[in-house]
């Protein structure tokens, strides 16, 4: 193998990174502290992302989207997360909510729902988890019962990212309780559907600018043609979706870690103790080297998983995608937790205060080890792939 044939991003990917970084430095980073303090959804950031077609970049051009490939989408999420993790959930959750449609939806459903998302007229959330069905997602109880040309939904979804600010929701519900995972179907529910409402804001450790709420279905009646794919295929669609979107959580983790590393590196060059910059001390140099090394490894794993996700989206069967996307999510999020914790340490007392962004980054990093499947579940998924 020559060096020239080694894996690398294309010029378009590199240019995209520069564009997103410039936007993030200009419009998102200056707002990140305030977004965290107030816990309000950043509609101004949403608007800025929409204007640059970065709010849901993965949507194909045929539906009015930017048609970004999976790696380009990772780069967008990574660069937004480097400035503000909450804001990075705009492109990430739009992808999570719409991949079920892209994988399994009819042409009519795709045209109806992907077009407004691409135009920035509505975001899309994903409803799988429930109060009693977190890691064991197939244990869900939300029911969808056919009634003529409609389904009637009853139940509760929990931990729904961007609930209340999204206009559309992919909701998994049980259509045949005797069939277990094969008795679950996926539906599109719209804001304003009768019998559909959202709960109070969860009070969280981090990603405070991205609302997390419950979804309530109280005899919620939706047209039967809102079912995504065939009846009974919803659980497979939900898990196949996560094969693609766990890569976006890895991207978020990379961005948070990079933001922390960049800040800490700048700080140690300026901060003087014992008559010289603390960057001169080898103990700190070794910490920085370890942080950068782990981040580089996480990035390579994430980009490799993104490349597989892109090929699979285009129809190439890839038995290793499930392993790779879990591995990328698990490794990158563990790395983000380590890197942000060490970055706080490098700033000492300052790192522990809200005068610097490191403590926010450390709080934001924590969720990447939990959502879209805890890192313990990622290890279950990886081990199952190895042993089957
Ligand atoms: N793609 C497609 N189909 C898949 C699949 C995949 N990756 N993995 C499994 N399946 C299929 C299986 O083949 C099986 O189908 P058949 O019966 O027809 O063979 C069916 O799905 C059930 O599979 P399992 O028996 O393996 O399912 P399980 O109940 O044992 O659970 C699990 C598997 C991996 C633990 C799964 O429940 C899981 O991933 N749990 C974690 C849930 C999760 O990630 N939740 C995150 C919610 S999203 C979120 O956090 C959102 C947010 O807002 C950011």
């Amino acid at each position: 193998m020559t060096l020239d044939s080694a894996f690398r991003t294309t010029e378009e990917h590199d240019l995209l990174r520069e564009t997103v970084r410039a936007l993030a430095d200009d419009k998102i980073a200056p707002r990140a502290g305030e977004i965290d303090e107030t816990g309000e959804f950043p509609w101004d950031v949403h608007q800025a992302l929409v204007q640059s077609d970065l709010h849901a970049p993965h949507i194909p051009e045929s539906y009015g989207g930017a048609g970004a490939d999976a790696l380009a989408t990772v780069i967008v999420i990574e660069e937004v997360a480097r400035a503000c993790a909450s804001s990075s959930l705009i492109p990430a959750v739009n992808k999570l909510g719409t991949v079920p449609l892209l994988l399994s939806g009819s042409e009519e459903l795709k045209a109806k729902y992907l077009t407004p998302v691409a135009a920035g007229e509505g975001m899309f959330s994903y409803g799988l988890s429930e109060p009693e069905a977190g890691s064991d997602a197939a244990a869900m109880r939300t029911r969808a019962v056919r009634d003529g040309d409609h389904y009637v939904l009853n139940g509760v979804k929990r931990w729904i990212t961007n609930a209340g600010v999204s206009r559309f929701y992919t909701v998994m519900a049980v259509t045949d309780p005797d069939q277990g995972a094969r008795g679950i179907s996926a539906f599109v529910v719209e804001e304003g559907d009768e019998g559909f409402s959202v709960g109070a804001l969860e009070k969280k450790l981090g990603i405070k600018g991205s609302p997390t709420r419950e979804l309530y279905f109280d005899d919620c009646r939706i047209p039967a043609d809102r079912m995504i794919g065939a009846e009974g295929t919803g659980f497979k669609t939900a898990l196949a979706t996560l094969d693609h979107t766990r890569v976006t959580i890895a991207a978020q983790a990379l961005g948070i870690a990079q933001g922390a590393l960049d800040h800490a590196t700048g700080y140690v060059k300026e901060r003087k103790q014992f008559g010289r910059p603390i960057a001169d001390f080898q103990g700190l140099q070794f910490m920085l080297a370890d942080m950068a090394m782990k981040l580089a490894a996480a990035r390579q794993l994430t980009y490799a998983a993104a490349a597989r996700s892109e090929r699979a989206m285009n129809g190439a069967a890839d038995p290793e995608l499930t392993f790779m996307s879990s591995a990328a999510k698990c490794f990158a999020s563990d790395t983000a937790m380590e890197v942000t914790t060490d970055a706080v340490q490098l700033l000492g007392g300052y790192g522990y205060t809200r005068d610097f962004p490191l403590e926010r980054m450390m709080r934001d990093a924590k969720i990447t080890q939990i959502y879209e499947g805890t890192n313990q579940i990622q290890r279950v998924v990886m081990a199952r792939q190895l042993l089957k």
Side-chain angles (χ1 to χ4, degrees), residues 91-297:
V93 174
N94 272 335
K95 180 158 183 179
L96 177 62
T98 54
V99 169
L101 278 170
L102 285 163
L103 289 176
S104 311
S106 65
E107 202 40 60
E108 291 73 29
L109 274 192
K110 285 196 251 190
K112 181 174 177 192
Y113 289 109
L114 298 179
T115 312
V117 179
E121 291 162 2
M123 289 183 283
F124 225 117
S125 290
Y126 174 91
L128 177 67
S129 307
E130 297 186 1
E132 303 299 329
S135 293
D136 186 6
M140 69 177 65
R141 294 182 192 161
T142 296
R143 280 284 272 135
V145 177
R146 180 101 191 201
D147 181 20
D149 291 340
H150 289 77
Y151 278 91
V152 180
L153 273 61
N154 278 288
V156 179
K157 292 288 170 185
R158 182 172 278 182
W159 313 125
I160 308 308
T161 306
N162 285 352
V165 294
S166 278
R167 185 173 152 199
F168 309 111
Y169 299 81
T170 296
V171 175
M172 272 51 77
V174 177
T175 41
D176 185 346
D178 297 329
Q179 296 291 321
R182 293 181 185 182
I184 292 170
S185 306
F187 301 89
V188 178
V189 174
E190 296 183 24
E191 175 188 64
D193 279 336
E194 209 184 315
F196 171 56
S197 58
V198 301
L201 280 178
E202 300 289 351
K203 296 174 187 147
K204 303 181 306 240
L205 178 71
I207 54 157
K208 295 189 180 195
S210 167
T212 308
R213 304 173 196 262
E214 290 188 326
L215 308 181
Y216 304 123
F217 304 94
D218 188 7
D219 286 335
C220 172
R221 219 177 147 73
I222 58 169
D225 62 10
R226 297 242 207 107
M227 183 182 279
I228 301 172
E231 192 166 298
T233 61
F235 194 68
K236 280 191 186 188
T237 296
L239 292 190
T241 296
L242 296 173
D243 283 349
H244 293 278
T245 59
R246 283 175 178 156
V247 184
T248 71
I249 301 303
Q252 188 187 30
L254 293 181
I256 297 170
Q258 188 68 57
L261 177 62
D262 291 349
H263 199 96
T265 307
Y267 180 88
V268 297
K269 289 197 275 189
E270 297 296 323
R271 170 78 172 164
K272 289 202 175 77
Q273 290 291 280
F274 305 101
R276 46 187 169 146
I278 59 172
D280 284 0
F281 295 106
Q282 201 176 44
L284 271 59
Q285 291 173 4
F286 281 11
M287 282 175 77
L288 284 170
D290 278 345
M291 291 156 78
M293 172 180 71
K294 286 175 192 164
L295 184 49

